[in-house]
Amino acid sequence: MNVVHGYTLLLVFLLGTSIIFGPPRLAPDAWLVELIAVVPAGALFLLFVGLAAAGNGGNLFDMLDKAWGRTIGRMWTLCYIVYFLYIASRNVRDMIELVMTSILRATPPSVLIFMFVLVIAYAASGGIAATGRLSVLIAALVGFFFFALALLLVFSGSVDTERLLPFLSEGLAKVLVVPLKSSIWFPYGELVVFLVFCSSFGTARTFRRTGWLAMISACLLLTFSDLLQTSVLGMENIVFSIFPLLDAARMISIFNFITRLDALVALLIILGVLVKCAVFVHAATIGASRTFGRHRRFAFSSALLVGAFSILVTHNNAEHFEEGLKYVIYWLHIPAQLVIPAATLMLLRIRYRKGEREHEPRRLHDRLEPNRTRRGRADA
Amino acid sequence: MKGVRWLWTGLTLAAACALLSGCWDLTEVNRSALLTGVAVEPGKNGRHRVTFEVLNAAGAMPSQGQGSGVPTVLYTVEGNSIADTASRLNENVERLMMPSHVRVIVIDERTARKGLNAFIDLVQRSRYVREDVLLLIAKDVPASDMLQVLSPGGIYASWKIQSQVENFRKEWGGVPLSRLFDYTQAILVEGRDLTLGAITVIGNVKANDKGRSFQSAIPQSNVKIAGAAVFRDDRLIGYLSIYETRILNLIRGELEQTGVAFPLPNHEGHASVRVNRAHTHVRVAMKNGLPYIRLRIEGEGQLNSLDADLPVHKVEGFQALEQALSEYMREQTLQMIGRVQRQYGVDVFGFGEHLYRHRYREFQPIRKEWNALFAKAKVEASVKFVITGSELKNRSIRKQQ
Amino acid sequence: MTFGDTDDLALVSLRFCGKEGLLCYFTTLTSASFMMNYVIQPLAQASDDLAGEDATALLKEVRERCLSGLSSELSDQLHVLPMKLGRGYAALFAEGARDCLLVDVKELVTRSVEEPTSQNVIRGPKEGFTESAATNMSLIRRRIVTDKLRFERYEIGEKTRTEVYLAYIEEEADEEVLRQVREQVRSCRMVSLFDSGSLESLFRPRGYWLFPTVYNSERPDSVCSCLLDKRIAVIVGGSPFVLIVPAIFRDFFQSPEDHYQWFLVGLFARLLRYVAFLLSLVVPSLYVAITSYHQELIPTILLTSIAAQREGIPFPAVIEILLMEAAFEILREAGTRMPRLVGQAISIAGALVLGEAAVQAGIVSNINVIVVALTVISSYVAPVYTFGSNIRIFRYGLILLASFTGLYGVILGCAVLMIHLSRMETFGVPYMSPLSRMLGGKTP
């Protein structure tokens, strides 16, 4: 996988669903929240990069084994598999909710999910390089349609920047707190899944650079998307929207002819969720074939699980979003994205700093700080 | 052979799809009909009486369909809510309804006086109804009469009403923006009250019964735009004339173009100017606990008729005209704002919104009593219209003495 | 002899240099005048002083003096004889000699170099490959004057023994790809090979049959530009279509003509082809999906017009589209197989009867005919005919998907296609690498 594939993969992954939903409307000036969130998220990503460096070319599951020992490591691996599958199934649910409200109505969701799951399985079984190439295509499509939407909104005269005011009506403090509460974990924190593929990104340094670049571009795009949505719908109105971008797209009307581009929004989310799910399911299958030790392909079965869970996971919209904003963050995101990786990194540092200095350090050193060695050479 | 196996798998899947699918959401165009207009009136016993305008596609496209006949058919249903009537529509109609192309929702003024929120929710919630569907108030006549007006050439009532309202707004500014989206905005935003377009019918609607309207060059009945309907919250409290509505649009910055006929000084008749651009700068501040509103209206137009022989080939001629026009517009503006302040006491202009957006901290404490404050507000206006040209001729063509 | 009593085997006994000899060849592989002028006459005129004791030495002498202009060889291996005769050699036996002299007397009637029929250009060379591999190689060699151009000869087909040449430019062509191609060709077991088309499946990655991974061309200029582009050409004797591997997605949208024009025109044409490809793929399914599932997406007036047209049409939109598509498929099949004159009659019948009358009779709607016609025309835009033929199947899949889940199905179908494309690799080159060529992807 080359750098561009990696970058677009991360970008599409980050934009996937959040371009439709935007940040949760916990504070006014959501776009500012979006802009700020990238800073702590970037720091969180440094933790992942640290892990990738310490893992020495191995994937997340190797690191867990190495840090915690085989038994506990295997337990964490299982936890991560479940976590990945759960997140994937939530994403599928997001997508189905949108499809059921925007383009279909009476078709049983189970049929739609089954079709979708087949596609996910096909995408996931192709390997990360194929997914990277897929993401280039999808990034092109998503980018094209997103900017088409933006342009059409501007042309139909729906954009009114006055609607962004009043600015900071509830003070800066609230805006600063929200990213820590939610935006950092979603979508940025979900990058933890790429620890499974970090070796495909090259060295830890390229991983960091690619990741940061993708995060910054995603942040800018999301901020732009949020500004767009707010200036079309108004700050007061957007709180009532389940899918703000969808509601914004409904405002498009050019000569009464180009109207109702709901389908484009559905296309955006279907493709975005497809890439996200393919990555999650692929990660889970790697973990599964590692844990269960069989050289079987788990893609199809994992994908079916995702589909089934996406139906079982909640009863309705409200439950789905409330779970997402409250319980998932505290019970899943924070442990899986912060606590376990941090603990693993610490254990790796402690266990391998002294004991195995003889075997490990050179490679570790090279991976960690190629920057310094290069500069040293240049100085000499 | 791998290829053959794939082919069989594909064919089997395709067959399974075709056989097992319920085609749950399938709606064939030739088995359904478009819903194009809705009129809501109060019915018996506090129920709603809803009239649906259903399109007969072949009639509406006489050049393409095999048959022709009337472009639309009206059905009236009574029920407890609009959703109730809409879902029972097939009680009367043989085809499936496609509600996604509703263009106009006409609301009877009796219903509007009781409040709109209760049934607009259905419209806002539905993904089928477009955000740019027009919400109009039927003034003086029952709402369903609006949908009975037919025009030749397959133009049905809701199409006529929509394009009439749109064109009138764009060309002259005599009707406010009145889309569903504008309703939502006005209800949600602080410091602005709702206005919707108002229409009425002149002539005798019943004369349409035998399609006589088509035979005569003089329409037996016609829809006429009556200006704006003013609301307090979601209840109708009164109307503005088309001239007042134009001022309203001017202040809101929504006036695209218009034609102003204004009296010339010394009672020499009238001159008229085609205004192409107009813009209002609004300044709202709180002074001694009362809002102080300053308006700076700027506009630009072309002279297009002149009753008196003013020297418009010279600078002073233009200046005199500009001054007369500006003075006229200033008077109209202040008069109109004064009337709204006195008679309705609701801020339909969005002065409060301006305060809310730009001076949030000042607005926050007086949010609740804004309308009362507005009624007492002091308003100042400075108007400056520029006349940029006099079209083809430099002065009125007549024999020079 | 293994040939039995086939009629075209000529066994001519003749006397030369004082010895009895037997000349043996197939009359169908040479011409009488060629044999007369270049073989029999020199033999007959050969002076008797050549006559030596040793018959083998005599044959050698004859080979050097009388037949030196023809490629020939001495052989004592009788078992190669049938094959050599079949390849157009004449065998000369002399009494008392263990060896026989094999002389290449092949003189075949071949088609001369003509304008290619399947890949026309308005501007550009008008030469096309022929059925003769030798001619084809000469057409290539003429264009690429470099000492690095290589032809490697292989034979495929147990019965047909068809000659197959790999052409490539040494040091340019990727060694790894070359190794794989050689291996494929060597290990190929076929009974017969009459056209390069049958060879295509050799180079196809497993499980990916929807898109061709082998480019074929009738045009020497396009083959040569591919060779210079580090690829490998496969020339099959008896087929005017030369294969080029590895081929990626982009190649199928390029016509050699693009490079002979101002680049912007070429770019525009290429863009148009991509758009046409997309149109031919999704237009019918989008029509079905939108008119029968998502009417709210159509502007009111257009929908009114569609509804008015479909008034009284007995079929649902899907059936309508499938009917017309099937009719056009049949027309297409009939049109390509028929002689040109009859073909015209068919197209008139198709246009009039299917297009006009079906609409008049109220069986299909106008808009449906427009949709199908647009699809069919778009599907012909791809410069390589084979590209469109496989993807056609996918189009029907999309229509079916559209007919039961609307746009959702269409989007998923397109997603499957994209996944398929991005998973595909041919000889280690990602099929979609065109889109990321400048981005450092491995390109052929």
Side-chain angles (χ1 to χ4, degrees):
Chain A
M1 195 163 63
N2 67 29
V3 183
V4 177
H5 292 163
Y7 167 76
T8 46
L9 182 57
L10 290 175
L11 184 65
V12 174
F13 181 88
L14 287 175
L15 293 181
T17 46
S18 32
I19 201 165
I20 311 289
F21 293 102
R25 314 282 154 181
L26 301 175
D29 305 310
W31 58 275
L32 198 63
V33 172
E34 200 69 82
L35 201 59
I36 292 169
V38 79
V39 179
L44 182 66
F45 189 69
L46 258 191
L47 172 69
F48 302 157
V49 174
L51 252 182
N56 227 344
N59 65 26
L60 176 66
F61 307 123
D62 296 328
M63 298 168 209
L64 289 172
D65 274 3
K66 225 164 114 186
W68 300 86
R70 263 185 80 70
T71 324
I72 305 178
R74 198 173 260 204
M75 200 188 80
W76 286 136
T77 304
L78 273 179
C79 288
Y80 268 105
I81 297 171
V82 173
Y83 174 66
F84 291 153
L85 291 182
Y86 178 71
I87 299 295
S89 67
R90 282 189 63 86
N91 281 325
V92 172
R93 182 58 180 247
D94 283 341
M95 186 273 297
I96 287 297
E97 290 286 339
L98 188 129
V99 167
M100 292 308 290
T101 42
S102 73
I103 54 177
L104 292 172
R105 190 166 61 163
T107 312
S110 46
V111 174
L112 302 181
I113 289 174
F114 181 67
M115 287 168 64
F116 191 67
V117 151
L118 290 181
V119 181
I120 293 177
Y122 187 43
S125 59
I128 194 73
T131 316
R133 288 199 290 272
L134 176 68
S135 72
V136 176
L137 288 178
I138 286 183
L141 271 180
V142 167
F144 176 76
F145 284 123
F146 178 67
F147 283 107
L149 278 183
L151 219 68
L152 289 173
L153 275 174
V154 172
F155 281 143
S156 53
S158 308
V159 175
D160 181 1
T161 44
E162 279 274 302
R163 298 201 180 110
L164 294 170
L165 296 170
F167 181 57
L168 288 184
S169 55
E170 294 186 30
L172 191 64
K174 191 153 186 186
V175 175
L176 284 177
V177 173
V178 173
L180 286 176
K181 266 189 184 159
S182 66
S183 288
I184 170 175
W185 315 114
F186 161 83
Y188 300 110
E190 289 177 356
L191 287 180
V192 71
V193 68
F194 284 97
L195 279 179
V196 180
F197 312 109
C198 55
S199 57
S200 317
F201 284 86
T203 59
R205 187 158 164 268
T206 45
F207 184 44
R208 185 182 63 195
R209 219 179 34 192
T210 320
W212 273 353
L213 209 62
M215 285 167 94
I216 290 169
S217 344
C219 162
L220 290 178
L221 274 171
L222 288 177
T223 310
F224 173 68
S225 158
D226 217 81
L227 279 173
L228 187 74
Q229 291 161 19
T230 315
S231 58
V232 168
L233 294 177
M235 212 181 280
E236 302 79 16
N237 195 347
I238 208 166
V239 212
F240 295 94
S241 290
I242 296 177
F243 310 105
L245 189 66
L246 179 68
D247 279 359
R250 288 165 62 90
M251 291 303 299
I252 291 174
S253 167
I254 293 183
F255 300 123
N256 264 328
F257 189 80
I258 304 175
T259 51
R260 296 300 293 269
L261 298 173
D262 307 16
L264 283 191
V265 178
L267 180 103
L268 288 183
I269 194 172
I270 291 175
L271 295 181
V273 168
L274 176 68
V275 170
K276 278 189 97 158
C277 286
V279 170
F280 278 124
V281 169
H282 188 45
T285 50
I286 290 179
S289 56
R290 219 184 109 85
T291 317
F292 303 114
R294 291 182 200 145
H295 295 283
R296 280 260 282 307
R297 310 190 104 185
F298 288 94
F300 185 65
S301 33
S302 314
L304 275 184
L305 267 181
V306 167
F309 270 123
S310 71
I311 300 172
L312 298 174
V313 81
T314 47
H315 291 103
N316 55 35
N317 246 331
E319 194 181 329
H320 181 59
F321 291 115
E322 195 173 311
E323 260 177 24
L325 282 182
K326 281 191 188 158
Y327 306 103
V328 174
I329 288 182
Y330 292 114
W331 291 99
L332 287 175
H333 283 339
I334 294 184
Q337 296 171 5
L338 183 66
V339 180
I340 302 178
T344 311
L345 182 60
M346 250 160 51
L347 276 175
L348 281 177
R349 285 275 165 88
I350 293 167
R351 285 185 67 173
Y352 292 94
R353 188 167 44 184
K354 290 171 189 164
E356 296 186 34
R357 192 142 214 169
E358 308 303 308
H359 319 284
E360 297 285 334
R362 177 140 304 141
R363 274 190 291 158
L364 191 76
H365 182 79
D366 278 349
R367 275 179 194 286
L368 259 179
E369 290 164 358
N371 217 347
R372 184 179 295 170
T373 48
R374 191 170 296 166
R375 205 176 297 143
R377 226 169 276 151
D379 288 346
Chain B
M1 284 278 285
K2 185 119 184 176
V4 174
R5 224 179 71 200
W6 262 94
L7 195 66
W8 278 116
T9 321
L11 281 181
T12 322
L13 272 180
C17 287
L19 292 175
L20 297 178
S21 76
C23 295
W24 301 270
D25 279 306
L26 186 85
T27 327
E28 276 298 330
V29 178
N30 49 5
R31 286 174 182 65
S32 44
L34 291 182
L35 187 62
T36 49
V38 178
V40 186
E41 292 165 344
K44 287 175 208 130
N45 307 329
R47 282 154 55 110
H48 291 295
R49 187 160 172 275
V50 187
T51 304
F52 294 96
E53 185 194 48
V54 176
L55 187 72
N56 166 26
M61 285 273 164
S63 57
Q64 282 168 345
Q66 280 92 348
S68 55
V70 284
T72 51
V73 186
L74 300 182
Y75 299 94
T76 303
V77 186
E78 273 199 25
N80 291 324
S81 71
I82 307 233
D84 176 37
T85 56
S87 57
R88 275 195 295 118
L89 199 53
N90 275 104
E91 201 179 338
N92 300 323
V93 191
E94 70 284 4
R95 291 182 166 218
L96 286 175
M97 271 305 125
M98 289 193 281
S100 52
H101 288 262
V102 177
R103 288 159 167 266
V104 171
I105 298 176
V106 187
I107 301 155
D108 200 275
E109 56 181 336
R110 289 165 290 170
T111 311
R113 283 187 197 281
K114 288 183 194 146
L116 297 179
N117 268 352
F119 70 87
I120 292 286
D121 184 62
L122 162 80
V123 186
Q124 285 170 332
R125 206 178 276 281
S126 165
R127 71 169 164 107
Y128 291 105
V129 178
R130 298 180 181 225
E131 294 285 341
D132 60 354
V133 60
L134 287 178
L135 293 179
L136 298 170
I137 303 297
K139 188 186 173 191
D140 302 333
V141 285
S144 57
D145 280 11
M146 301 292 163
L147 299 180
Q148 293 176 24
V149 177
L150 288 180
S151 316
I155 295 175
Y156 42 94
S158 54
W159 183 359
K160 174 192 157 66
I161 293 172
Q162 189 199 27
S163 83
Q164 192 175 347
V165 167
E166 278 297 302
N167 288 341
F168 189 54
R169 189 182 64 75
K170 277 187 189 148
E171 285 299 303
W172 203 81
V175 66
L177 269 176
S178 190
R179 301 166 300 177
L180 176 59
F181 178 72
D182 302 308
Y183 175 88
T184 317
Q185 287 286 312
I187 291 293
L188 285 176
V189 124
E190 302 281 351
R192 172 150 65 90
D193 271 284
L194 175 66
T195 51
L196 289 178
I199 51 175
T200 185
V201 169
I202 50 169
N204 181 12
V205 181
K206 299 289 170 272
N208 282 326
D209 280 356
K210 296 175 184 93
R212 256 179 292 153
S213 193
F214 288 169
Q215 257 80 57
S216 156
I218 303 156
Q220 302 287 313
S221 61
N222 197 7
V223 171
K224 189 178 165 225
I225 290 166
V230 179
F231 286 73
R232 182 188 290 278
D233 294 329
D234 65 330
R235 282 161 206 271
L236 176 72
I237 52 172
Y239 294 96
L240 298 175
S241 73
I242 53 170
Y243 291 97
E244 288 167 326
T245 310
R246 180 169 66 175
I247 302 288
L248 174 71
N249 278 335
L250 178 61
I251 293 173
R252 279 192 192 168
E254 281 160 2
L255 188 67
E256 292 179 27
Q257 40 176 295
T258 186
V260 186
F262 58 96
L264 290 172
N266 312 327
H267 306 287
E268 285 179 300
H270 286 76
S272 77
V273 167
R274 182 91 212 142
V275 177
N276 299 323
R277 260 180 291 283
H279 184 71
T280 306
H281 298 274
V282 179
R283 280 278 152 77
V284 185
M286 296 300 291
K287 261 189 188 169
N288 309 324
L290 279 184
Y292 173 54
I293 298 161
R294 272 175 304 166
L295 303 175
R296 187 155 53 86
I297 301 173
E298 286 167 356
E300 192 181 289
Q302 293 242 332
L303 182 67
N304 61 4
S305 95
L306 190 57
D307 286 358
D309 185 20
L310 284 175
V312 281
H313 58 297
K314 289 193 187 141
V315 177
E316 53 260 38
F318 269 104
Q319 276 172 347
L321 278 174
E322 281 171 4
Q323 202 167 2
L325 172 61
S326 302
E327 189 49 40
Y328 173 77
M329 287 308 284
R330 202 180 85 86
E331 263 172 38
Q332 293 278 314
T333 308
L334 290 178
Q335 217 173 357
M336 185 263 177
I337 297 176
R339 186 173 106 96
V340 172
Q341 278 178 316
R342 267 177 280 110
Q343 198 171 339
Y344 301 126
V346 289
D347 178 8
V348 291
F349 305 98
F351 296 134
E353 184 189 354
H354 192 270
L355 201 60
Y356 158 72
R357 294 217 187 274
H358 294 277
R359 298 173 175 217
Y360 184 74
R361 309 238 178 282
E362 286 177 44
F363 183 74
Q364 201 54 24
I366 54 167
R367 206 156 58 109
K368 292 271 186 292
E369 68 240 58
W370 169 255
N371 273 338
L373 288 175
F374 162 72
K376 290 180 246 160
K378 184 164 179 273
V379 183
E380 259 182 27
S382 70
V383 182
K384 182 168 168 50
F385 272 84
V386 178
I387 298 173
T388 54
S390 54
E391 300 203 23
L392 290 179
K393 308 297 174 212
N394 56 15
R395 51 192 302 185
S396 304
I397 297 176
R398 57 192 69 177
K399 256 189 192 145
Q400 300 296 318
Q401 272 90 38
Chain C
M1 274 300 209
T2 54
F3 290 111
D5 55 350
T6 174
D7 254 351
D8 57 347
L9 184 69
L11 296 166
V12 184
S13 50
L14 74 172
R15 194 175 173 78
F16 66 99
C17 309
K19 287 206 191 273
E20 287 293 329
L22 181 68
L23 192 61
C24 164
Y25 62 93
F26 278 112
T27 54
T28 40
L29 292 180
T30 184
S31 68
S33 64
F34 183 90
M35 284 305 284
M36 213 52 217
N37 288 339
Y38 301 111
V39 183
I40 299 178
Q41 219 165 22
L43 281 177
Q45 286 169 358
S47 54
D48 287 353
D49 59 275
L50 284 174
E53 291 298 304
D54 189 8
T56 312
L58 174 74
L59 280 181
K60 210 179 240 168
E61 282 288 302
V62 164
R63 180 186 172 202
E64 278 160 15
R65 293 213 185 167
C66 309
L67 305 171
S68 53
L70 302 169
S71 84
S72 56
E73 58 190 87
L74 275 170
S75 171
D76 57 351
Q77 313 256 302
L78 262 182
H79 62 90
V80 302
L81 203 61
M83 201 200 47
K84 285 287 182 190
L85 288 186
R87 289 217 172 279
Y89 280 75
L92 181 64
F93 300 92
E95 68 168 308
R98 271 194 71 236
D99 295 2
C100 71
L101 181 63
L102 292 166
V103 191
D104 184 5
V105 295
K106 187 165 62 183
E107 171 87 346
L108 298 175
V109 181
T110 54
R111 192 161 64 95
S112 59
V113 175
E114 282 166 16
E115 213 178 316
T117 50
S118 73
Q119 289 165 312
N120 287 326
V121 292
I122 293 169
R123 176 81 189 274
K126 303 269 183 190
E127 280 181 331
F129 286 124
T130 68
E131 282 77 6
S132 151
T135 316
N136 294 352
M137 284 191 287
S138 115
L139 284 173
I140 293 174
R141 177 69 81 180
R142 257 179 249 179
R143 283 180 172 73
I144 304 180
V145 184
T146 164
D147 53 340
K148 297 278 194 272
L149 179 64
R150 300 278 182 276
F151 293 103
E152 273 176 28
R153 186 172 191 281
Y154 296 89
E155 277 184 4
I156 291 182
E158 280 165 32
K159 290 267 158 35
T160 56
R161 298 250 153 216
T162 314
E163 44 188 353
V164 171
Y165 295 90
L166 297 188
Y168 58 94
I169 295 178
E170 186 128 46
E171 288 166 19
E172 290 271 314
D174 190 275
E175 276 303 316
E176 179 55 27
V177 177
L178 196 57
R179 192 187 58 77
Q180 288 181 40
V181 173
R182 279 188 193 127
E183 210 166 85
Q184 297 276 22
V185 171
R186 261 192 218 120
S187 62
C188 171
R189 293 280 167 271
M190 279 183 172
V191 176
S192 61
L193 175 63
F194 295 115
D195 186 83
S196 53
S198 338
L199 217 52
E200 274 189 28
S201 59
L202 263 192
F203 306 120
R204 180 175 295 150
R206 308 209 93 212
Y208 300 97
W209 48 270
L210 210 49
F211 291 95
T213 50
V214 182
Y215 187 82
N216 66 73
S217 178
E218 251 190 302
R219 306 180 50 84
D221 55 331
S222 103
V223 168
C224 287
S225 78
C226 284
L227 284 177
L228 293 173
D229 197 21
K230 307 179 178 185
R231 299 180 210 205
I232 299 159
V234 182
I235 304 161
V236 176
S239 166
F241 291 95
V242 172
L243 305 183
I244 293 154
V245 284
I248 48 178
F249 190 70
R250 180 192 53 187
D251 297 331
F252 295 93
F253 292 90
Q254 270 174 338
S255 164
E257 202 175 0
D258 296 347
H259 302 285
Y260 307 143
Q261 291 168 324
W262 186 43
F263 78 100
L264 219 55
V265 177
L267 199 71
F268 178 71
R270 224 170 299 157
L271 202 68
L272 201 69
R273 285 181 210 127
Y274 283 113
V275 171
F277 167 67
L278 271 183
L279 284 183
S280 74
L281 204 59
V282 298
V283 162
S285 45
L286 276 186
Y287 169 73
V288 169
I290 290 181
T291 55
S292 46
Y293 280 88
H294 315 285
Q295 290 89 0
E296 70 267 19
L297 303 185
I298 315 175
T300 314
I301 302 204
L302 184 60
L303 182 60
T304 315
S305 158
I306 293 174
Q309 287 175 23
R310 304 231 27 224
E311 203 70 25
I313 306 275
F315 306 112
V318 198
I319 306 290
E320 213 185 337
I321 279 278
L322 286 178
L323 265 182
M324 280 315 264
E325 286 275 354
F328 269 103
E329 288 291 338
I330 294 169
L331 264 182
R332 181 208 318 251
E333 197 58 26
T336 37
R337 303 281 168 263
M338 280 292 122
R340 205 161 284 174
L341 285 173
V342 188
Q344 262 177 8
I346 285 174
S347 59
I348 291 170
L352 275 181
V353 176
L354 284 174
E356 193 62 29
V359 171
Q360 291 279 316
I363 293 176
V364 294
S365 59
N366 272 320
I367 185 118
N368 179 18
V369 175
I370 295 171
V371 166
V372 174
L374 182 66
T375 316
V376 172
I377 293 169
S378 311
S379 68
Y380 277 124
V381 172
V384 181
Y385 175 72
T386 47
F387 189 76
S389 54
N390 291 354
I391 205 69
R392 227 156 56 195
I393 300 165
F394 197 81
R395 190 166 73 215
Y396 294 110
L398 275 186
I399 295 176
L400 280 185
L401 274 177
S403 74
F404 86 104
T405 50
L407 267 182
Y408 180 75
V410 178
I411 295 174
L412 278 197
C414 292
V416 168
L417 198 68
M418 286 197 286
I419 298 170
H420 185 87
L421 279 171
S422 53
R423 285 181 61 159
M424 259 173 104
E425 281 182 7
T426 158
F427 295 106
V429 183
Y431 196 56
M432 285 310 280
S433 36
L435 299 178
S436 53
R437 169 171 232 200
M438 57 206 185
L439 309 176
K442 186 185 171 191
T443 41

